[in-house]
Amino acid sequence: MQRIMLRGKLHQARVTHAELNYEGSCAIDQDLLDAVNIREYEQIDIYNIENGERFHTYAISGERGSKMISLNGAAARKAAVGDRIIICAYAPMTEQQLEHYKPSLVYLDAHNNIVRTSKDIPLQLA
């Protein structure tokens, strides 16, 4: 049996561009893609913190060092420039792979600078 597990997450990224007539779905600064180990053309899920929209798309490489998060084509209708979003990638894993598995978590500030990385989400308290 395999489980679909969170592999990487860019948390609270800010949308910098929304280009309705541009090919490709979500351009992400290549430095950010590297930090979270997302490959160009890989499927990603995007969760818009501002309006609750959740959708699948794919990543394309944005200019390295630009801090770009550009929603393109149909995805441009799902968020506005300045919206906070969460970008996640998932992967199927066997029970054996899960024994020592931890995701790559990258936390961003309001300017898409990396403020910290982690392998664990903090325990949610009641």
Side-chain angles (χ1 to χ4, degrees), residues 18-28 40-41 44 57-61 70-76:
E19 304 289 344
L20 186 61
N21 295 311
Y22 189 82
E23 182 179 350
S25 270
C26 185
I28 301 170
E40 188 167 38
Y41 309 118
I44 55 176
T57 189
Y58 61 94
I60 60 174
S61 180
S70 181
L71 296 178
N72 302 320

Side-chain angles (χ1 to χ4, degrees), residues 67-119:
K67 310 300 183 198
M68 168 188 286
I69 304 288
S70 181
L71 296 178
N72 302 320
R77 300 262 192 218
K78 300 290 188 178
V81 171
D83 281 2
R84 294 172 301 149
I85 60 174
I86 300 167
I87 301 170
C88 295
Y90 298 89
M93 297 186 183
T94 65
E95 293 296 324
Q96 183 179 7
Q97 289 172 308
L98 290 174
E99 287 180 25
H100 302 289
Y101 173 74
K102 296 286 184 176
S104 295
L105 310 172
V106 176
Y107 297 84
L108 305 176
D109 68 12
H111 304 287
N112 292 335
N113 296 303
I114 297 172
V115 293
R116 72 182 176 95
T117 62
S118 181
K119 295 289 187 182

Side-chain angles (χ1 to χ4, degrees), residues 24-89:
S25 270
C26 185
I28 301 170
D29 177 332
Q30 186 62 52
D31 288 338
L32 297 176
L33 290 175
D34 292 346
V36 76
N37 193 26
I38 293 175
R39 301 277 307 257
E40 188 167 38
Y41 309 118
E42 183 173 353
Q43 179 178 314
I44 55 176
D45 285 353
I46 297 180
Y47 312 122
N48 188 327
I49 296 167
E50 310 301 337
N51 65 20
E53 287 278 359
R54 301 168 72 90
F55 58 98
H56 304 296
T57 189
Y58 61 94
I60 60 174
S61 180
E63 181 182 359
R64 191 176 290 281
S66 67
K67 310 300 183 198
M68 168 188 286
I69 304 288
S70 181
L71 296 178
N72 302 320
R77 300 262 192 218
K78 300 290 188 178
V81 171
D83 281 2
R84 294 172 301 149
I85 60 174
I86 300 167
I87 301 170
C88 295

